[in-house]
Amino acid sequence: MAQLLDFEQPIAALEGKLREMQQLALDSQVDVSAAVTALEVKINDLKKDTYKNLTRWQRVQLSRHPGRPYTFDYILGMSQKFVELHGDRTVRDDKAMVGGFAEIDGRTVMLIGQQKGRNTKDRQFRNFGMPNPEGYRKALRLMKLAEKFNVPIVTLIDTPGAFPGLEAEERGQGEAIARNLREMFLLKVPVICVIIGEGASGGALGIAIGDRVLMLENTWYSVISPESCSSILWRSWDYKEQAAEALKLTATDMLGNKLVDGIVAEPLGGAHTDAPAMIETLKNTILRTLAELDALSPADRISQRIDKFSDMGVVLE
């Protein structure tokens, strides 16, 4: 059975009643079509009302749903050919950061993103989607390779943050992310960044400097997670819901504050309810956005990219 979040329980209860009615009709040959139709309408209305009025914390929960498509799901679903590239040519190959050349409907792009795991063994192998410094250096190497061959770059962001371990700091975690920020501003090829799940802190920002930054509908993007914010301010994780409200970290919040450029709609109930449809929607959005960016010269793209990020924030005197 699919994992249910607390606010999805009323919907699941009605869907259970619907299955019972349908089974009753099959077993007894009783015509309950009118009741079934009425219940289907009720369920659909409840779904629309529920997912339209989600709190910020509930959006965070949806962004972490274990059934959501991960980076490799999008890469393999969108592309007809994909060649994964490995290693940062300095330390090792970071399994939390993946990337390579892909062909999407005849268009070659460089796809890069953080990859989480589906089970315990895979999560450990992928370090729970938290890259080390070599992951960000690997991402930058692939971006420079794409620039060399005039191939546009698409990054898919889904991470609880860069790995905070001592060994990561010893190998220059902050420097690696900072270098990526600087270099991504100056890339001559189109760069599209998409938050597909969690977008936490510098771990997300390290591959999120682009001409267009998009967020899926039920994702979050912030300097800190609600739990970490709660633990700092209240010395407890019990206030994570209040922290989520204060952080204003949803796609709607980010777009309203002009920190992202657009929101990609998800299927009703979240991306995990219809992964093929979500993947197709994102593919079409990426191709459409690339067509828009192709109309600009490299100099114009770089100038607009720098201006966009430089204009972020509010200064009060």
PDB file of all heavy atoms in Angstrom, residues 228-248:
ATOM      1  N   SER A 228      15.521  21.719  11.469  1.00  0.00           N
ATOM      2  CA  SER A 228      16.757  22.342  11.945  1.00  0.00           C
ATOM      3  C   SER A 228      16.487  23.743  12.478  1.00  0.00           C
ATOM      4  O   SER A 228      17.063  24.151  13.494  1.00  0.00           O
ATOM      5  CB  SER A 228      17.788  22.389  10.814  1.00  0.00           C
ATOM      6  OG  SER A 228      18.156  21.092  10.404  1.00  0.00           O
ATOM      7  N   CYS A 229      15.614  24.464  11.812  1.00  0.00           N
ATOM      8  CA  CYS A 229      15.237  25.798  12.280  1.00  0.00           C
ATOM      9  C   CYS A 229      14.590  25.707  13.658  1.00  0.00           C
ATOM     10  O   CYS A 229      14.901  26.493  14.563  1.00  0.00           O
ATOM     11  CB  CYS A 229      14.284  26.446  11.282  1.00  0.00           C
ATOM     12  SG  CYS A 229      13.695  28.085  11.771  1.00  0.00           S
ATOM     13  N   SER A 230      13.705  24.739  13.827  1.00  0.00           N
ATOM     14  CA  SER A 230      13.028  24.545  15.102  1.00  0.00           C
ATOM     15  C   SER A 230      14.028  24.198  16.206  1.00  0.00           C
ATOM     16  O   SER A 230      13.934  24.710  17.333  1.00  0.00           O
ATOM     17  CB  SER A 230      11.985  23.428  14.973  1.00  0.00           C
ATOM     18  OG  SER A 230      11.401  23.126  16.217  1.00  0.00           O
ATOM     19  N   SER A 231      14.995  23.338  15.885  1.00  0.00           N
ATOM     20  CA  SER A 231      15.967  22.922  16.897  1.00  0.00           C
ATOM     21  C   SER A 231      16.866  24.076  17.324  1.00  0.00           C
ATOM     22  O   SER A 231      17.315  24.126  18.470  1.00  0.00           O
ATOM     23  CB  SER A 231      16.809  21.760  16.367  1.00  0.00           C
ATOM     24  OG  SER A 231      17.645  22.179  15.297  1.00  0.00           O
ATOM     25  N   ILE A 232      17.121  25.020  16.413  1.00  0.00           N
ATOM     26  CA  ILE A 232      17.966  26.175  16.745  1.00  0.00           C
ATOM     27  C   ILE A 232      17.185  27.200  17.565  1.00  0.00           C
ATOM     28  O   ILE A 232      17.661  27.701  18.586  1.00  0.00           O
ATOM     29  CB  ILE A 232      18.523  26.823  15.466  1.00  0.00           C
ATOM     30  CG1 ILE A 232      19.551  25.896  14.795  1.00  0.00           C
ATOM     31  CG2 ILE A 232      19.175  28.177  15.788  1.00  0.00           C
ATOM     32  CD1 ILE A 232      19.999  26.375  13.431  1.00  0.00           C
ATOM     33  N   LEU A 233      15.968  27.506  17.128  1.00  0.00           N
ATOM     34  CA  LEU A 233      15.196  28.568  17.780  1.00  0.00           C
ATOM     35  C   LEU A 233      14.498  28.104  19.057  1.00  0.00           C
ATOM     36  O   LEU A 233      14.403  28.858  20.024  1.00  0.00           O
ATOM     37  CB  LEU A 233      14.172  29.138  16.805  1.00  0.00           C
ATOM     38  CG  LEU A 233      14.719  29.838  15.564  1.00  0.00           C
ATOM     39  CD1 LEU A 233      13.575  30.392  14.714  1.00  0.00           C
ATOM     40  CD2 LEU A 233      15.667  30.971  15.946  1.00  0.00           C
ATOM     41  N   TRP A 234      13.987  26.862  19.043  1.00  0.00           N
ATOM     42  CA  TRP A 234      13.212  26.368  20.191  1.00  0.00           C
ATOM     43  C   TRP A 234      13.899  25.221  20.935  1.00  0.00           C
ATOM     44  O   TRP A 234      13.342  24.687  21.880  1.00  0.00           O
ATOM     45  CB  TRP A 234      11.833  25.905  19.719  1.00  0.00           C
ATOM     46  CG  TRP A 234      10.908  27.020  19.331  1.00  0.00           C
ATOM     47  CD1 TRP A 234      10.185  27.815  20.170  1.00  0.00           C
ATOM     48  CD2 TRP A 234      10.578  27.442  18.008  1.00  0.00           C
ATOM     49  NE1 TRP A 234       9.434  28.717  19.445  1.00  0.00           N
ATOM     50  CE2 TRP A 234       9.657  28.513  18.106  1.00  0.00           C
ATOM     51  CE3 TRP A 234      10.965  27.033  16.728  1.00  0.00           C
ATOM     52  CZ2 TRP A 234       9.119  29.164  17.001  1.00  0.00           C
ATOM     53  CZ3 TRP A 234      10.450  27.682  15.619  1.00  0.00           C
ATOM     54  CH2 TRP A 234       9.538  28.740  15.759  1.00  0.00           C
ATOM     55  N   ARG A 235      15.094  24.846  20.495  1.00  0.00           N
ATOM     56  CA  ARG A 235      15.817  23.729  21.106  1.00  0.00           C
ATOM     57  C   ARG A 235      15.019  22.433  21.052  1.00  0.00           C
ATOM     58  O   ARG A 235      15.155  21.569  21.917  1.00  0.00           O
ATOM     59  CB  ARG A 235      16.177  24.056  22.570  1.00  0.00           C
ATOM     60  CG  ARG A 235      16.955  25.345  22.759  1.00  0.00           C
ATOM     61  CD  ARG A 235      18.301  25.275  22.078  1.00  0.00           C
ATOM     62  NE  ARG A 235      19.053  26.526  22.265  1.00  0.00           N
ATOM     63  CZ  ARG A 235      20.223  26.795  21.705  1.00  0.00           C
ATOM     64  NH1 ARG A 235      20.762  25.900  20.897  1.00  0.00           N
ATOM     65  NH2 ARG A 235      20.839  27.939  21.907  1.00  0.00           N
ATOM     66  N   SER A 236      14.161  22.303  20.070  1.00  0.00           N
ATOM     67  CA  SER A 236      13.328  21.108  19.936  1.00  0.00           C
ATOM     68  C   SER A 236      12.800  21.043  18.515  1.00  0.00           C
ATOM     69  O   SER A 236      12.571  22.076  17.871  1.00  0.00           O
ATOM     70  CB  SER A 236      12.160  21.173  20.922  1.00  0.00           C
ATOM     71  OG  SER A 236      11.200  20.174  20.618  1.00  0.00           O
ATOM     72  N   TRP A 237      12.566  19.812  18.014  1.00  0.00           N
ATOM     73  CA  TRP A 237      11.964  19.641  16.697  1.00  0.00           C
ATOM     74  C   TRP A 237      10.443  19.762  16.744  1.00  0.00           C
ATOM     75  O   TRP A 237       9.786  19.689  15.723  1.00  0.00           O
ATOM     76  CB  TRP A 237      12.335  18.259  16.135  1.00  0.00           C
ATOM     77  CG  TRP A 237      13.694  18.221  15.502  1.00  0.00           C
ATOM     78  CD1 TRP A 237      14.743  19.052  15.775  1.00  0.00           C
ATOM     79  CD2 TRP A 237      14.155  17.314  14.497  1.00  0.00           C
ATOM     80  NE1 TRP A 237      15.831  18.709  15.011  1.00  0.00           N
ATOM     81  CE2 TRP A 237      15.499  17.648  14.213  1.00  0.00           C
ATOM     82  CE3 TRP A 237      13.572  16.251  13.816  1.00  0.00           C
ATOM     83  CZ2 TRP A 237      16.259  16.954  13.278  1.00  0.00           C
ATOM     84  CZ3 TRP A 237      14.333  15.567  12.882  1.00  0.00           C
ATOM     85  CH2 TRP A 237      15.657  15.920  12.618  1.00  0.00           C
ATOM     86  N   ASP A 238       9.883  19.953  17.914  1.00  0.00           N
ATOM     87  CA  ASP A 238       8.427  19.966  18.069  1.00  0.00           C
ATOM     88  C   ASP A 238       7.764  21.162  17.398  1.00  0.00           C
ATOM     89  O   ASP A 238       6.542  21.185  17.239  1.00  0.00           O
ATOM     90  CB  ASP A 238       8.051  19.944  19.555  1.00  0.00           C
ATOM     91  CG  ASP A 238       8.485  18.658  20.238  1.00  0.00           C
ATOM     92  OD1 ASP A 238       8.702  17.659  19.521  1.00  0.00           O
ATOM     93  OD2 ASP A 238       8.621  18.661  21.482  1.00  0.00           O
ATOM     94  N   TYR A 239       8.554  22.178  17.052  1.00  0.00           N
ATOM     95  CA  TYR A 239       7.990  23.399  16.480  1.00  0.00           C
ATOM     96  C   TYR A 239       8.260  23.511  14.977  1.00  0.00           C
ATOM     97  O   TYR A 239       8.291  24.601  14.426  1.00  0.00           O
ATOM     98  CB  TYR A 239       8.544  24.625  17.216  1.00  0.00           C
ATOM     99  CG  TYR A 239       8.208  24.641  18.688  1.00  0.00           C
ATOM    100  CD1 TYR A 239       9.075  24.073  19.612  1.00  0.00           C
ATOM    101  CD2 TYR A 239       7.014  25.197  19.149  1.00  0.00           C
ATOM    102  CE1 TYR A 239       8.772  24.066  20.971  1.00  0.00           C
ATOM    103  CE2 TYR A 239       6.702  25.200  20.496  1.00  0.00           C
ATOM    104  CZ  TYR A 239       7.581  24.629  21.398  1.00  0.00           C
ATOM    105  OH  TYR A 239       7.266  24.625  22.737  1.00  0.00           O
ATOM    106  N   LYS A 240       8.456  22.360  14.350  1.00  0.00           N
ATOM    107  CA  LYS A 240       8.792  22.372  12.919  1.00  0.00           C
ATOM    108  C   LYS A 240       7.684  22.958  12.057  1.00  0.00           C
ATOM    109  O   LYS A 240       7.951  23.574  11.022  1.00  0.00           O
ATOM    110  CB  LYS A 240       9.143  20.963  12.446  1.00  0.00           C
ATOM    111  CG  LYS A 240       8.094  19.902  12.722  1.00  0.00           C
ATOM    112  CD  LYS A 240       8.598  18.532  12.347  1.00  0.00           C
ATOM    113  CE  LYS A 240       7.604  17.429  12.697  1.00  0.00           C
ATOM    114  NZ  LYS A 240       7.416  17.293  14.161  1.00  0.00           N
ATOM    115  N   GLU A 241       6.421  22.780  12.460  1.00  0.00           N
ATOM    116  CA  GLU A 241       5.318  23.346  11.676  1.00  0.00           C
ATOM    117  C   GLU A 241       5.336  24.867  11.730  1.00  0.00           C
ATOM    118  O   GLU A 241       5.130  25.540  10.713  1.00  0.00           O
ATOM    119  CB  GLU A 241       3.988  22.804  12.182  1.00  0.00           C
ATOM    120  CG  GLU A 241       3.833  21.295  11.973  1.00  0.00           C
ATOM    121  CD  GLU A 241       2.480  20.778  12.403  1.00  0.00           C
ATOM    122  OE1 GLU A 241       1.485  21.503  12.208  1.00  0.00           O
ATOM    123  OE2 GLU A 241       2.412  19.662  12.936  1.00  0.00           O
ATOM    124  N   GLN A 242       5.575  25.424  12.932  1.00  0.00           N
ATOM    125  CA  GLN A 242       5.682  26.880  13.049  1.00  0.00           C
ATOM    126  C   GLN A 242       6.891  27.389  12.275  1.00  0.00           C
ATOM    127  O   GLN A 242       6.837  28.460  11.645  1.00  0.00           O
ATOM    128  CB  GLN A 242       5.796  27.294  14.523  1.00  0.00           C
ATOM    129  CG  GLN A 242       4.546  27.038  15.346  1.00  0.00           C
ATOM    130  CD  GLN A 242       4.572  25.697  16.061  1.00  0.00           C
ATOM    131  OE1 GLN A 242       4.932  24.672  15.467  1.00  0.00           O
ATOM    132  NE2 GLN A 242       4.191  25.690  17.329  1.00  0.00           N
ATOM    133  N   ALA A 243       7.980  26.629  12.311  1.00  0.00           N
ATOM    134  CA  ALA A 243       9.184  27.025  11.576  1.00  0.00           C
ATOM    135  C   ALA A 243       8.917  27.054  10.078  1.00  0.00           C
ATOM    136  O   ALA A 243       9.361  27.974   9.372  1.00  0.00           O
ATOM    137  CB  ALA A 243      10.329  26.069  11.900  1.00  0.00           C
ATOM    138  N   ALA A 244       8.194  26.059   9.579  1.00  0.00           N
ATOM    139  CA  ALA A 244       7.880  26.016   8.151  1.00  0.00           C
ATOM    140  C   ALA A 244       7.057  27.238   7.738  1.00  0.00           C
ATOM    141  O   ALA A 244       7.287  27.829   6.670  1.00  0.00           O
ATOM    142  CB  ALA A 244       7.118  24.734   7.823  1.00  0.00           C
ATOM    143  N   GLU A 245       6.112  27.635   8.588  1.00  0.00           N
ATOM    144  CA  GLU A 245       5.307  28.813   8.281  1.00  0.00           C
ATOM    145  C   GLU A 245       6.168  30.065   8.261  1.00  0.00           C
ATOM    146  O   GLU A 245       6.025  30.926   7.389  1.00  0.00           O
ATOM    147  CB  GLU A 245       4.182  28.963   9.318  1.00  0.00           C
ATOM    148  CG  GLU A 245       3.099  27.903   9.233  1.00  0.00           C
ATOM    149  CD  GLU A 245       2.337  27.945   7.921  1.00  0.00           C
ATOM    150  OE1 GLU A 245       2.037  29.058   7.436  1.00  0.00           O
ATOM    151  OE2 GLU A 245       2.061  26.862   7.375  1.00  0.00           O
ATOM    152  N   ALA A 246       7.079  30.180   9.210  1.00  0.00           N
ATOM    153  CA  ALA A 246       7.930  31.363   9.289  1.00  0.00           C
ATOM    154  C   ALA A 246       8.931  31.441   8.136  1.00  0.00           C
ATOM    155  O   ALA A 246       9.244  32.534   7.648  1.00  0.00           O
ATOM    156  CB  ALA A 246       8.674  31.377  10.623  1.00  0.00           C
ATOM    157  N   LEU A 247       9.420  30.288   7.693  1.00  0.00           N
ATOM    158  CA  LEU A 247      10.431  30.263   6.639  1.00  0.00           C
ATOM    159  C   LEU A 247       9.872  30.628   5.271  1.00  0.00           C
ATOM    160  O   LEU A 247      10.614  31.052   4.384  1.00  0.00           O
ATOM    161  CB  LEU A 247      11.070  28.865   6.565  1.00  0.00           C
ATOM    162  CG  LEU A 247      12.029  28.509   7.701  1.00  0.00           C
ATOM    163  CD1 LEU A 247      12.377  27.022   7.665  1.00  0.00           C
ATOM    164  CD2 LEU A 247      13.293  29.350   7.628  1.00  0.00           C
ATOM    165  N   LYS A 248       8.544  30.426   5.084  1.00  0.00           N
ATOM    166  CA  LYS A 248       7.926  30.721   3.779  1.00  0.00           C
ATOM    167  C   LYS A 248       8.730  30.068   2.656  1.00  0.00           C
ATOM    168  O   LYS A 248       9.273  30.725   1.776  1.00  0.00           O
ATOM    169  CB  LYS A 248       7.806  32.236   3.565  1.00  0.00           C
ATOM    170  CG  LYS A 248       6.833  32.894   4.533  1.00  0.00           C
ATOM    171  CD  LYS A 248       6.721  34.382   4.267  1.00  0.00           C
ATOM    172  CE  LYS A 248       5.604  35.018   5.094  1.00  0.00           C
ATOM    173  NZ  LYS A 248       5.734  34.802   6.532  1.00  0.00           N
TER     174      LYS A 248
END
